[in-house]
Amino acid sequence: MEALNVPISKEVLMSNPRIRIGRRGRIGSLVSFLPVLLLLSFVLTPPLHGADTPVTDREIENAIETELLTEEGVAFDPIDVAVTDGVAILSGTVDNLLAEHRALRITRAVRGVESVVDEITVDPPEITDSELATDVEAALLADPVTESYEVETEVHQGIVTLKGTVESWAERRLAERIVKGISGVAGTDNQIEVAYPDERPDGEITAEVEERLAWDVRVDDSLIEASVEEGRVTLTGTVGSAAEKRQARLDAFVNGVDSVDVTGLEVARWARDRDLRESKLVVKPDETIEDALRDALVYDPRVLATDLEITVDRGIATLRGSVDNLRAKSAAEQTARNTIGVWSVRNRLKVRPDEAT
């Protein structure tokens, strides 16, 4: 029987070893031609979501839960996720501030999320200030980076105040980050001062660059490697867009850096997970951001959004109107900052309890 001359992709051939290949890379004789076509059309090449393909709320919810489950330092069980019209609502109770911050950062990076409503409650265990002070000092000493920091700590009603002097903003942020991860800390007051030295060792510069990349929600640091030699930074790895590549370069220009080489950063389709944003530096039309922010405030039970005026100009969101309590004002600003595409918030809301409806 003469062989059928039906072209077939390399991906299909690799995925189905049962297909017999002729000398010229075509399908050999098969028992039945029709089943093969059906197999190739429906089984071997299932449709995948592209960059512009809308995703359902359920798919967004599953993606967020997957990321929370696999992220180190985030307790998955206490956090509940619900998504409505692209607005992700996080609720539940965690015992430290860092878990809350990481959960928000992860959620904002998931494709399809328009905004995030933070209903997570930080409920640290009851612990005396003296015990908490001991835990804070032990944590700072145990970390190989912060053990040499000249930082003093004070604790009052669970609020940790940090004082002292360090040599970079990354060191300042790292000290606070470690404290926020300690169970029992209700809040932090970072009063650490930064005094830059005339010359900085390459290892210190590397630590600061890595810290800035890690905490920039517009950059996925897990795919980027930083190295420093005589003040020259080299970034290698993969980014999801040209904008993310530019942002990584800006993050790397810390004090003491002479130059940043990003030729080793490859711009490629989002490599780690197709559920995450292909472009971490999200630029959206102001009208789209306004609609997303209105939806988010409607679903935020802490805010009565009917009397609010929302405008967005080049990514800057301005909130006007009145609310009946200070918590609602703060919650509205927090939700605005968690809306994708918003870079800054001007909170012009007025607290007027007498006007509550």
Side-chain angles (χ1 to χ4, degrees):
M1 183 175 182
E2 186 177 355
L4 298 173
N5 294 327
V6 180
I8 185 170
S9 67
K10 179 180 178 182
E11 288 78 12
V12 171
L13 295 175
M14 295 295 291
S15 63
N16 194 343
R18 293 180 297 175
I19 297 179
R20 182 165 55 88
I21 309 301
R23 293 181 180 179
R24 296 184 180 181
R26 301 175 184 273
I27 301 178
S29 299
L30 300 175
V31 177
S32 175
F33 180 53
L34 183 58
V36 173
L37 287 181
L38 294 175
L39 181 65
L40 298 181
S41 299
F42 298 102
V43 177
L44 298 180
T45 56
L48 297 175
H49 284 301
D52 299 325
T53 303
V55 291
T56 66
D57 288 338
R58 185 59 178 173
E59 289 173 324
I60 297 173
E61 186 176 307
N62 289 336
I64 294 173
E65 289 180 341
T66 298
E67 292 300 314
L68 293 177
L69 183 63
T70 57
E71 176 71 11
E72 183 180 356
V74 177
F76 173 76
D77 293 332
I79 299 177
D80 294 323
V81 180
V83 179
T84 305
D85 296 334
V87 177
I89 302 173
L90 301 184
S91 59
T93 303
V94 296
D95 64 0
N96 65 85
L97 296 169
L98 193 57
E100 178 193 21
H101 293 175
R102 281 178 169 169
L104 293 174
R105 177 173 175 263
I106 291 168
T107 302
R108 286 195 296 263
V110 172
R111 185 164 63 91
V113 172
E114 298 291 340
S115 185
V116 183
V117 175
D118 178 17
E119 295 184 23
I120 296 176
T121 300
V122 180
D123 185 19
E126 294 185 4
I127 184 173
T128 65
D129 287 344
S130 60
E131 292 174 326
L132 186 56
T134 300
D135 292 342
V136 169
E137 292 177 0
L140 292 173
L141 288 173
D143 190 279
V145 179
T146 59
E147 62 176 344
S148 60
Y149 287 8
E150 296 180 0
V151 174
E152 299 178 357
T153 60
E154 298 177 359
V155 181
H156 179 64
Q157 295 182 350
I159 307 297
V160 180
T161 300
L162 302 176
K163 297 181 180 180
T165 303
V166 294
E167 296 181 346
S168 71
W169 280 99
E171 294 176 344
R172 184 179 189 271
R173 289 194 301 268
L174 180 57
E176 182 175 1
R177 180 180 176 183
I178 291 175
V179 171
K180 285 182 176 180
I182 299 173
S183 180
V185 173
T188 58
D189 180 12
N190 195 343
Q191 300 180 13
I192 297 176
E193 297 181 357
V194 179
Y196 291 109
D198 294 334
E199 294 184 5
R200 302 182 65 191
D202 290 339
E204 185 177 296
I205 295 175
T206 302
E208 181 168 2
V209 171
E210 291 175 345
E211 181 73 8
R212 292 188 64 174
L213 292 173
W215 282 94
D216 191 336
V217 297
R218 297 164 290 182
V219 176
D220 185 2
D221 65 297
S222 66
L223 301 179
I224 300 176
E225 182 176 350
S227 60
V228 182
E229 183 176 356
E230 296 182 355
R232 296 187 296 272
V233 179
T234 300
L235 301 180
T236 56
T238 304
V239 291
S241 68
E244 185 181 352
K245 184 175 182 177
R246 289 193 298 271
Q247 187 61 39
R249 183 175 182 273
L250 290 175
D251 285 342
F253 266 109
V254 301
N255 186 65
V257 172
D258 296 325
S259 63
V260 178
D261 182 3
V262 294
T263 57
L265 276 182
E266 178 186 1
V267 179
R269 175 175 171 80
W270 200 244
R272 195 178 72 150
D273 191 331
R274 67 173 179 267
D275 289 327
L276 297 183
R277 296 185 184 279
E278 294 188 4
S279 175
K280 299 302 289 293
L281 188 60
V282 181
V283 179
K284 292 189 174 185
D286 290 336
E287 295 79 6
T288 303
I289 299 173
E290 286 182 12
D291 291 340
L293 181 49
R294 288 192 181 94
D295 288 342
L297 292 176
V298 166
Y299 293 118
D300 192 334
R302 303 167 298 177
V303 182
L304 182 61
T306 55
D307 297 329
L308 302 187
E309 178 186 345
I310 302 169
T311 58
V312 179
D313 182 17
R314 291 172 292 182
I316 301 175
T318 301
L319 308 179
R320 292 186 175 89
S322 60
V323 291
D324 61 1
N325 62 83
L326 187 59
R327 182 172 181 266
K329 178 177 180 176
S330 177
E333 179 174 343
Q334 181 187 61
T335 297
R337 294 187 184 279
N338 285 334
T339 299
I340 306 304
V342 172
W343 305 116
S344 179
V345 179
R346 295 171 179 169
N347 193 343
R348 303 292 187 262
L349 293 176
K350 297 180 179 180
V351 179
R352 294 179 175 174
D354 294 340
E355 297 184 5
T357 57

